[in-house]
Amino acid sequence: MTLMRLSKGDISGFKFLFALAIMYGLMTMLVHPILYMKFVKPLGIDAPLDRFSEARAVQHIRVLSKDIDGRQEGRTGLREAADYIKGQLEMIKKRAGSDIRIEIEESVVNGSFNMMFLGYSISLGYRNHTNIVMRISPANSQDGDPSLLLNGHFDSPLGSPGAGDCGSCVASLLEVARLTVDSNWVPPRPIIFLFNGAEELFMLAAHGFMKTHKWRDTIGAFINVEASGSGGPDLVCQSGPGSWPSRIYAQSAVYPMAHSAAQDVFPVIPGDTDYRMFSQDYGNIPGLDIIFLLGGYFYHTSYDTIEKLLPGSIQARGDNLFSIIKAFTNSSMLQNAHDRESFAATANNYVDQDVFFDYLTWFMIVYSRRVALILHSIPIAIFLTMPLFLCLLYSGLRSWFAIFCDFTKGLLFHTTGVILAIIFPILFSIIRLLFSSHAMSWFAHPYLAFMMFVPCSLVGLLIPRIVWSCFPLSQEVSDLKTSREALSDEASFWGAFGYHAIFTLAYLVAGLSGGFLTFFLSASMLASWVSSRLAVKNYGCQLLRSTVIYIIPLIPCLTYGVYFGGFLVQFVIEKMGMVGAVPPPYGYFLPDIMVAATIGVVTGLCVGPLIPICGNWLARSSVLQFLLHLTVLALALSSQFFPYSNDAPKRVAFQHTFITADANRVVDSTYDFSVVDSNSLLFVFKYVPEVAKELHIGSELSFETAMSSHRESWMATYPVTFLFSRSLKFPTGSDDVLKQYRYFPHLSEYKPRTIFSEGSRRVYLELSLGSLEEVWVTVLNITGPLSGWSFADKILPAPEIIRGGPPSYILRLSGASHENWTFWLEASSSEKLSVQVSVLDQNLFGPAKKLKSLFPDWVDVTAYSSFISNYIF
């Protein structure tokens, strides 16, 4: 294709394409600093005491993530963190005036309960987890006054310094607590700051607070502060029950960052937060779940350090929190548990979820579900009545049925274009992988994903438009004074409008809250169509002018689409490194397909509304060929990029497994490895030859010849084990552990069994953790005729099937103590009970430490030891 062969229309099409590229480039330049909080100026250490200061908060993070060596359960750093937090609160208390009362206490929580996590049923038992609680209240307040709870956890995940997750949360709350006192503001209602020490172990400390603390029934609302990354938008991911929390947020947030669509997708994201304990499982408290979502590359890795935090993010969070706190504590809707239950039946503010979204953090739009029922029904009503309106407008010269048929054709063609905009990137992603040695080449280079998939997605959008130009209309053009092109554009526009109208209604009918986006698109398209028609009426049918006038009213909506879509794509890309490795043959393709499909959806949202009019310029074979060439070039270029870096590390799980017996004997010892994305262990060993050499791995290694590490070997991390696939193990020695530990975990009977008349029996067991020093968690996998136990109010969880085995009852135990665990199991028959005990110890020994050190900086290794023993009772 040369310039000489291009027609005048082709040249115009390319000019228009480049103009659109410039327009979307300018939109990207606008939204990128917003997504990464570059527009927020962090305040320094010397900022006025009546202002939130990011620098002061960062000082706390530095202590928690750098000066303290590890805040994981089982390590001494967790106790040091609790002492530091309590010390800071005591200093705040000393500065308080006489008009406020500050109470500080440390509570130790114990308990047991059943829950579903990651879709799997488990039972949790815990002891000696720490909560640090501070209550700031007016001097004349009563103990039963309704209060606002702010929650953040100070424990960190395995192998991570936890600067973002959740040192940033603790630091933000400490600075807000200081600000509350130093600003001389007297909160009209009590504020409770909960620093909980066991969230990473499945929200145990929050459960303990809700079950045992004396202030739990006074809580009228809560704000849960979390981090799934190192900064970016501090997004309201969950809100409720009811609409009151989201309205308070909308009215008071300095930098509003929220959209109700997040609540639609949050349940399908692997993971959970303390929000669940307060608002769903053990309380019906109205609240907000506010989470850092970008920088997910570092989430739960050793790279979650203070250097990776995004400047401005904590400042925006702090400014928001202090403003929201004031609004909550001044609200008449803040009620304690007793009053909330009394008025629940009549308080409409507690019934339905609102629909809400922020516009580029500038302002927030929020409206009730009742208003949504009206607003979100308007587009489909307009679509269905427009044929009749046009029929009347033309005094019956046009048949409403023929118009409706053309609109329907336009709808089908636009829908086909959107579908092809998703299918084409998926197909190209699959084709690339068939000729590539690795997947996820875009992981460390997100711009590659846009380069590869946006052009081919545009091809998918435009192909139906080319076909549409020669597709017959139902209306007889010869009977009208309007040209065929005008009727074709009209039908194409209303078809696209109908597509968005149907999706808006579908969201509403499904009870979801994300319909605001397609409603916004529908309303903007309607305004664009009206302005375009007025321009044609006043200035004549000038294609360029009418096209530009059509685009201008869409710019605010398209800019929001770039903001929303850019965030969504970046979030998906970052999460692809940790969502789990699906078994082959499909698992290898899955991350690329998901990213390609996401970009296809976003392209359809951002460019789709332009196609009915702008398709006149772009729907040319030369433009499509150019876009396909760009796609092929980007696909070829992507193969030259390595998928990982120290800013986007690959996650590897490294478990030193010991099979033990008799409390002091090692039966077997292996190094077990697994990954949580689509590039398998073979990829790792290929590019890390030092590790392969240390493990005596040759170039002929394959999954067929190597020893597989089955899920039973990874029970210490259950149910995260289900994110692993194609794990491998390699034999190793056990001399170092025998030098380190004298005794290993052991399960035994500590008193005689009880035999019941109906044939059931009760076995009394004692679990010793031996000499282990840094125990994170103990997992019991119990199979056999189990009919009862002493945990979770004597209620068994639903059984799980692990690798086709018998039904298993999974119990996770955590919490340090000098005392052994004692409990009983009850069997319904004389058949034997089988118990597998897996204990996760954070210590590594000798050669294992050396092996971990051989991995390069583009690999993040979560390493630990697991002690497994089996028993029959």
Side-chain angles (χ1 to χ4, degrees):
M1 182 180 68
T2 65
L3 189 63
M4 295 299 295
R5 296 177 185 171
L6 294 178
S7 67
K8 184 178 180 181
D10 291 334
I11 294 174
S12 298
F14 278 106
K15 288 181 178 179
F16 193 80
L17 178 66
F18 296 144
L20 286 182
I22 293 171
M23 182 183 76
Y24 282 104
L26 292 174
M27 292 178 182
T28 303
M29 292 173 62
L30 171 65
V31 304
H32 186 271
I34 296 174
L35 288 176
Y36 287 91
M37 298 292 111
K38 294 181 180 180
F39 69 101
V40 179
K41 182 181 179 181
L43 295 187
I45 198 74
D46 56 350
L49 293 179
D50 62 350
R51 291 291 306 277
F52 183 98
S53 164
E54 178 174 308
R56 286 192 285 258
V58 168
Q59 281 189 321
H60 297 307
I61 302 175
R62 182 171 287 107
V63 173
L64 292 169
S65 63
K66 231 174 190 179
D67 299 348
I68 294 175
D69 183 23
R71 307 191 312 276
Q72 292 81 13
E73 169 59 36
R75 301 190 66 184
T76 57
L78 190 61
R79 178 67 256 172
E80 294 174 26
D83 292 339
Y84 174 79
I85 293 167
K86 193 172 181 181
Q88 292 298 309
L89 298 180
E90 294 288 355
M91 291 170 58
I92 293 171
K93 181 177 180 179
K94 290 178 181 178
R95 295 202 302 272
S98 59
D99 50 355
I100 63 174
R101 181 174 64 186
I102 295 183
E103 303 162 80
I104 301 171
E105 67 173 49
E106 177 179 332
S107 60
V108 176
V109 293
N110 311 277
S112 181
F113 63 102
N114 298 328
M115 74 180 302
M116 294 291 295
F117 190 79
L118 298 180
Y120 298 97
S121 178
I122 55 175
S123 189
L124 302 162
Y126 63 94
R127 62 187 181 184
N128 299 333
H129 290 312
T130 302
N131 284 329
I132 309 295
V133 188
M134 179 173 75
R135 186 175 187 258
I136 302 178
S137 58
N140 60 353
S141 67
Q142 305 297 315
D143 287 343
D145 287 351
S147 58
L148 172 68
L149 172 71
L150 277 75
N151 175 72
H153 69 90
F154 62 87
D155 64 320
S156 60
L158 280 174
S160 175
D165 182 22
C166 210
S168 65
C169 312
V170 172
S172 299
L173 296 189
L174 286 173
E175 176 65 2
V176 167
R178 180 210 60 78
L179 177 58
T180 303
V181 171
D182 288 347
S183 64
N184 296 319
W185 171 61
V186 179
R189 309 280 181 81
I191 304 172
I192 299 172
F193 291 85
L194 170 59
F195 302 87
N196 84 70
E199 189 272 349
E200 299 294 352
L201 292 163
F202 302 171
M203 302 152 281
L204 301 182
H207 174 268
F209 179 88
M210 289 303 296
K211 294 294 287 185
T212 63
H213 203 276
K214 62 182 179 181
W215 291 328
R216 68 185 186 277
D217 290 331
T218 70
I219 300 171
F222 74 93
I223 302 172
N224 181 57
V225 186
E226 254 293 359
S228 183
S230 58
D234 198 23
L235 196 72
V236 175
C237 290
Q238 299 183 90
S239 171
S243 60
W244 172 54
S246 57
R247 294 199 176 193
I248 289 287
Y249 181 87
Q251 294 164 7
S252 57
V254 179
Y255 309 103
M257 292 171 273
H259 47 76
S260 48
Q263 298 188 137
D264 300 337
V265 300
F266 192 85
V268 303
I269 297 175
D272 224 324
T273 72
D274 287 326
Y275 175 92
R276 171 178 176 175
M277 292 295 156
F278 303 125
S279 185
Q280 298 168 359
D281 291 2
Y282 295 93
N284 193 36
I285 306 172
L288 301 170
D289 198 15
I290 304 179
I291 309 177
F292 281 153
L293 288 179
L294 291 185
Y297 290 125
F298 317 118
Y299 175 64
H300 284 203
T301 74
S302 61
Y303 290 98
D304 186 10
T305 60
I306 194 169
E307 293 78 17
K308 301 297 185 182
L309 296 175
L310 296 176
S313 300
I314 294 175
Q315 185 67 49
R317 165 178 276 181
D319 290 342
N320 275 352
L321 280 177
F322 193 55
S323 181
I324 297 166
I325 289 169
K326 288 183 174 180
F328 268 116
T329 54
N330 279 291
S331 174
S332 61
M333 296 299 297
L334 193 71
Q335 300 173 329
N336 60 30
H338 177 268
D339 293 340
R340 195 165 56 248
E341 290 174 4
S342 300
F343 290 98
T346 58
N348 291 330
N349 287 321
Y350 282 99
V351 178
D352 291 325
Q353 297 281 358
D354 274 344
V355 175
F356 54 86
F357 63 98
D358 73 279
Y359 189 82
L360 308 183
T361 74
W362 296 347
F363 58 87
M364 188 164 163
I365 297 174
V366 55
Y367 49 93
S368 68
R369 176 72 62 175
R370 290 183 179 181
V371 173
L373 285 172
I374 299 172
L375 284 181
H376 292 192
S377 300
I378 290 175
I380 194 67
I382 292 175
F383 174 72
L384 294 175
T385 57
M386 187 53 63
L388 182 60
F389 173 78
L390 291 175
C391 178
L392 295 175
L393 184 66
Y394 284 84
S395 303
L397 293 176
R398 300 175 65 180
S399 164
W400 72 268
F401 183 73
I403 297 172
F404 181 77
C405 287
D406 285 339
F407 286 8
T408 303
K409 294 174 185 176
L411 169 63
L412 294 175
F413 271 81
H414 188 81
T415 303
T416 302
V418 172
I419 293 172
L420 291 177
I422 299 171
I423 290 177
F424 272 46
I426 291 175
L427 290 176
F428 277 103
S429 72
I430 294 173
I431 292 171
R432 189 193 76 83
L433 291 178
L434 293 176
F435 298 95
S436 176
S437 61
H438 57 261
M440 299 173 57
S441 59
W442 36 259
F443 184 63
H445 319 280
Y447 59 87
L448 279 179
F450 290 96
M451 291 173 60
M452 288 190 290
F453 301 133
V454 169
C456 58
S457 182
L458 289 175
V459 171
L461 276 175
L462 291 172
I463 285 177
R465 181 65 186 180
I466 292 178
V467 178
W468 174 255
S469 62
C470 55
F471 199 80
L473 297 175
S474 298
Q475 301 175 75
E476 292 293 336
V477 180
S478 58
D479 297 338
L480 303 170
K481 297 180 181 180
T482 307
S483 67
R484 186 192 186 285
E485 289 75 15
L487 291 177
S488 177
D489 287 350
E490 179 185 77
S492 179
F493 168 82
W494 286 109
F497 179 87
Y499 168 85
H500 293 101
I502 290 172
F503 262 88
T504 302
L505 184 64
Y507 267 105
L508 190 66
V509 172
L512 302 176
S513 303
F516 65 85
L517 182 55
T518 49
F519 174 75
F520 191 11
L521 283 168
S522 301
S524 299
M525 289 180 68
L526 192 61
S528 292
W529 179 254
V530 171
S531 62
S532 177
R533 294 305 93 191
L534 289 175
V536 170
K537 182 177 180 181
N538 293 326
Y539 303 105
C541 188
Q542 298 182 26
L543 184 58
L544 179 60
R545 176 179 290 176
S546 61
T547 301
V548 171
I549 292 176
Y550 175 83
I551 291 175
I552 289 174
L554 275 171
I555 287 177
C557 180
L558 297 179
T559 303
Y560 182 80
V562 172
Y563 169 71
F564 181 89
F567 165 77
L568 179 62
V569 172
Q570 183 65 33
F571 176 77
V572 170
I573 286 175
E574 292 177 356
K575 291 304 177 186
M576 286 300 101
M578 58 171 290
V579 295
V582 177
Y586 308 111
Y588 179 66
F589 299 92
L590 192 58
D592 281 76
I593 288 174
M594 291 181 67
V595 169
T598 302
I599 290 179
V601 170
V602 169
T603 304
L605 286 172
C606 294
V607 184
L610 298 179
I611 295 301
I613 303 302
C614 300
N616 292 322
W617 301 83
L618 300 175
R620 298 178 177 275
S621 60
S622 58
V623 172
L624 266 62
Q625 290 178 38
F626 173 74
L627 292 173
L628 287 174
H629 290 159
L630 277 182
T631 299
V632 173
L633 180 63
L635 292 174
L637 183 66
S638 70
S639 62
Q640 304 302 311
F641 286 80
F642 194 68
Y644 306 103
S645 70
N646 60 354
D647 288 326
K650 180 173 180 60
R651 299 164 190 255
V652 172
F654 170 27
Q655 175 179 282
H656 193 178
T657 306
F658 300 96
I659 309 298
T660 65
D662 303 327
N664 56 8
R665 186 164 56 92
V666 176
V667 177
D668 191 19
S669 175
T670 58
Y671 291 147
D672 294 59
F673 292 91
S674 195
V675 294
V676 288
D677 68 26
S678 60
N679 286 315
S680 71
L681 284 170
L682 300 185
F683 171 90
V684 175
F685 295 140
K686 175 182 177 181
Y687 289 100
V688 190
E690 299 85 358
V691 172
K693 181 179 178 181
E694 187 72 15
L695 293 171
H696 307 292
I697 295 173
S699 58
E700 71 283 354
L701 178 72
S702 69
F703 287 107
E704 289 72 27
T705 59
M707 291 190 294
S708 296
S709 178
H710 299 300
R711 285 209 172 105
E712 296 92 317
S713 301
W714 297 87
M715 286 302 295
T717 57
Y718 184 93
V720 179
T721 50
F722 288 96
L723 298 179
F724 300 160
S725 178
R726 307 190 91 183
S727 307
L728 297 177
K729 64 180 179 181
F730 305 89
T732 185
S734 58
D735 294 341
D736 291 277
V737 72
L738 293 170
K739 296 175 184 177
Q740 180 78 19
Y741 293 146
R742 184 176 180 183
Y743 298 108
F744 303 127
H746 184 66
L747 185 64
S748 59
E749 296 186 56
Y750 70 92
K751 74 175 187 178
R753 304 177 181 183
T754 301
I755 307 298
F756 298 101
S757 57
E758 68 273 15
S760 62
R761 57 195 165 88
R762 182 173 291 179
V763 182
Y764 300 91
L765 301 176
E766 180 177 21
L767 174 62
S768 168
L769 298 179
S771 309
L772 272 58
E773 298 171 353
E774 295 186 352
V775 173
W776 165 263
V777 72
T778 300
V779 177
L780 276 63
N781 177 14
I782 307 168
T783 58
L786 185 67
S787 58
W789 60 10
S790 54
F791 295 101
D793 298 323
K794 302 179 182 179
I795 299 173
L796 293 174
E800 295 287 344
I801 304 297
I802 300 175
R803 212 169 64 93
S808 295
Y809 297 89
I810 309 299
L811 171 67
R812 285 173 56 105
L813 301 174
S814 66
S817 175
H818 295 296
E819 299 179 359
N820 295 335
W821 287 94
T822 57
F823 56 95
W824 53 261
L825 303 178
E826 194 168 296
S828 59
S829 69
S830 59
E831 185 182 343
K832 299 295 185 181
L833 285 174
S834 176
V835 182
Q836 181 195 63
V837 177
S838 302
V839 182
L840 193 157
D841 181 30
Q842 295 164 82
N843 268 330
L844 282 181
F845 311 99
K849 286 184 178 180
K850 177 187 176 183
L851 185 60
K852 180 185 176 184
S853 69
L854 295 177
F855 284 91
D857 60 2
W858 58 266
V859 179
D860 180 78
V861 182
T862 300
Y864 55 88
S865 300
S866 179
F867 295 83
I868 301 175
S869 51
N870 295 280
Y871 307 88
I872 301 293
F873 300 101

